[in-house]
Amino acid sequence: MGLNGLIRVPSDKSITHRAILFGAIASGETVVMNPLLGADCRSTIDAVRSLGASVEELDERLRIEGVASVVPATLDCGNSGTTMRLLSGLVSGYSGEFTLVGDDSLSKRPMRRITEPLRQMGADIDGEFAPVRIKGRRLSGIDYTLPVASAQVKSAVLLAGLRADGTTIVREPMLSRDHTERMLPLFGGRVEITNEDGVRTIRLSPSHLDGATVDVPADPSSAAFFWAGAAIVPNSRVTTTDVCLNETRIGFLRTLERMGANVEITRLRPLGEETVGDVTVTTSELRGVTLEGEAIPRQIDELPLFALVASQASSPSVVKDAGELRVKETDRIKTVASELAALGVDIRETEDGFSVFPSRLQAGHVSSHSDHRLSMMLQVAALLIDEPVVIDGIEASEISYPHFRDDLQRLGREIE
Ligand code: S3P
């Protein structure tokens, strides 16, 4: 039996984080409609409460009262890299001492990528790995070219720039997700985006934020599990509704189309600063593809899932230029290769990616390594296998997708 039905997956993680963070330092009230309340976004909510903002959880919305000046605090960012990196930029220009801590995985993730530009802005910041210690200070705008395609780094610099003297300029040779610069003007942030010699350039003038209403669309990175499942599990047809179709986020959907998947996009419409639509995927024959260069940041979080989908194609696939995978919640090149190999996939690890060959999956005992995207990818993989698959640490999916297992079951297949 395939996966069949209609589903509105939980709301977007990146957009929810940003709406909470901006609301926390905005004057007056911010309303976040349909927020994601997974563990990562809860880390952001708890952190802004520690900074003095008030966050009220109402039915399907958050009401946030921002603070004029955040108060010194220790901020537990849990498993969330977005929380730690964006908050570091946000608090650097306020006075007081801030300590940002995280769980074991987050404490191994590189922070130099944000401490370096923030120091150039004048920040007193210490810790190339968590805990990150910040003594708030007056900052100055810088002209910064991103050395890695990272929305977290871009956003940390822009958030620091809100309170800096002078203009902050961020240049991105390779486009990363653009929710920060889309959403800031809604809160009164003064942002100008130009293209200079083929390089996207963001100029932010110091800005005071005012509360706003943000309606959060469904998360394409969560919908991706159902798109993948529908594409590779025989006799499937799944529609995911109200999905954020921002092009910086749907590289994986474009990849499925390139592989020959049957993808239909309907009800395309604006929702606030974003575009949303319904996406229907039907089972189809797939061919292998190579993913590299600018395609990588647009589907960085979906590459573990791509490895699974590629194993069901009729020809080999290659992922290159994806060294960033090594510094995600786990080293996702290593963990994806080891866990999919345990299920019979012919996958070969390279320094900055992997090659996947057409494979027949078999039962096995695997682990999520406490990585939410691994847990969900392995649950989709199990749909292709008749005998039981044991997944240790399956609960990691709660980080970005509360009740993933229930939703997967509802659309068709039993998971014990
Ligand atoms: C995110 C940016 C990406 C992504 C992460 C969320 C964000 O990380 O992998 O899941 O919300 O800004 P990088 O900025 O490190 O690429």
Side-chain angles (χ1 to χ4, degrees):
M1 195 176 70
L3 289 172
N4 280 283
L6 187 92
I7 183 167
R8 198 268 186 205
V9 300
S11 288
D12 192 78
K13 181 155 83 70
S14 294
I15 296 176
T16 302
H17 278 304
R18 285 159 173 79
I20 297 165
L21 291 169
F22 299 175
I25 52 167
S27 301
E29 184 179 285
T30 288
V31 177
V32 187
M33 310 287 291
N34 295 313
L36 171 67
L37 294 176
D40 268 9
C41 294
R42 287 204 174 276
S43 295
T44 296
I45 292 175
D46 291 345
V48 303
R49 281 182 175 142
S50 305
L51 290 172
S54 119
V55 183
E56 215 182 329
E57 289 183 36
L58 303 165
D59 205 21
E60 294 180 354
R61 71 202 150 101
L62 298 174
R63 191 157 68 205
I64 303 172
E65 236 359 280
V67 277
S69 189
V70 303
V71 297
T74 293
L75 306 169
D76 186 352
C77 304
N79 189 246
S80 175
T82 307
T83 306
M84 183 165 283
R85 294 191 177 122
L86 270 59
L87 268 176
S88 297
L90 184 145
V91 301
S92 281
Y94 286 91
S95 49
E97 289 193 25
F98 306 89
T99 304
L100 288 82
V101 299
D103 70 5
D104 286 350
S105 153
L106 184 52
S107 303
K108 291 192 189 98
R109 297 181 65 186
M111 292 300 144
R112 185 182 292 276
R113 53 185 56 201
I114 53 145
T115 58
E116 219 163 67
L118 292 175
R119 265 184 214 123
Q120 284 179 29
M121 298 179 83
D124 183 348
I125 179 166
D126 184 37
E128 306 317 337
F129 295 91
V132 174
R133 294 196 172 81
I134 301 172
K135 289 195 191 109
R137 277 214 200 156
R138 212 157 175 84
L139 306 178
S140 317
I142 51 168
D143 184 340
Y144 191 66
T145 300
L146 291 178
V148 279
S150 166
Q152 293 179 355
V153 177
K154 167 170 65 178
S155 304
V157 173
L158 291 174
L159 280 168
L162 288 172
R163 288 175 65 80
D165 292 326
T167 306
T168 296
I169 305 174
V170 179
R171 300 178 196 268
E172 325 190 65
M174 214 186 270
L175 183 59
S176 62
R177 66 191 65 193
D178 62 357
H179 306 299
T180 295
E181 56 271 35
R182 270 176 195 267
M183 200 190 292
L184 272 175
L186 184 70
F187 285 80
R190 296 187 294 157
V191 175
E192 187 190 287
I193 300 172
T194 53
N195 192 301
E196 293 177 16
D197 303 324
V199 178
R200 187 165 179 273
T201 304
I202 306 165
R203 283 192 169 70
L204 174 87
S205 307
S207 311
H208 173 86
L209 302 189
D210 289 310
T213 296
V214 179
D215 205 339
V216 188
D219 194 326
S221 298
S222 295
F225 295 101
F226 294 96
W227 300 338
I232 62 178
V233 178
N235 305 316
S236 297
R237 180 179 171 83
V238 174
T239 300
T240 58
T241 65
D242 309 315
V243 185
C244 177
L245 293 177
N246 180 323
E247 282 295 336
T248 64
R249 295 292 304 284
I250 56 166
F252 179 68
L253 194 61
R254 300 300 179 213
T255 295
L256 284 179
E257 286 173 332
R258 272 180 67 206
M259 297 177 87
N262 195 337
V263 173
E264 234 182 298
I265 299 177
T266 53
R267 292 182 66 230
L268 208 61
R269 60 202 186 277
L271 182 72
E273 317 310 302
E274 301 284 350
T275 298
V276 300
D278 295 356
V279 178
T280 301
V281 179
T282 312
T283 313
S284 31
E285 292 290 313
L286 303 176
R287 54 186 170 270
V289 289
T290 294
L291 303 182
E292 60 191 323
E294 297 196 348
I296 298 297
R298 292 164 189 253
Q299 55 197 309
I300 188 74
D301 294 337
E302 287 67 69
L303 292 176
L305 189 57
F306 171 72
L308 168 67
V309 171
S311 75
Q312 302 307 299
S314 57
S315 52
S317 290
V318 179
V319 171
K320 301 180 197 170
D321 305 327
E324 275 294 299
L325 286 177
R326 295 208 180 270
V327 291
K328 294 296 180 186
E329 284 82 336
T330 57
D331 173 344
R332 285 184 177 157
I333 295 179
K334 199 165 124 204
T335 52
V336 165
S338 70
E339 302 317 294
L340 282 180
L343 296 179
V345 175
D346 184 358
I347 175 166
R348 299 173 202 173
E349 197 181 314
T350 60
E351 199 43 55
D352 67 348
F354 44 78
S355 304
V356 183
F357 298 84
S359 310
R360 192 180 165 77
L361 266 61
Q362 68 201 29
H365 186 149
V366 289
S367 168
S368 74
H369 296 271
S370 305
D371 182 331
H372 55 129
R373 302 214 191 271
L374 258 286
S375 163
M376 291 185 277
M377 179 273 276
L378 293 168
Q379 292 180 60
V380 175
L383 301 177
L384 294 169
I385 303 167
D386 289 332
E387 299 86 64
V389 172
V390 179
I391 306 172
D392 290 339
I394 197 169
E395 67 285 352
S397 51
E398 301 288 316
I399 293 283
S400 60
Y401 195 139
H403 315 302
F404 177 72
R405 194 145 54 106
D406 298 340
D407 282 356
L408 201 56
Q409 262 164 0
R410 194 166 62 71
L411 293 193
R413 298 280 296 242
E414 275 303 302
I415 303 172
E416 271 175 36

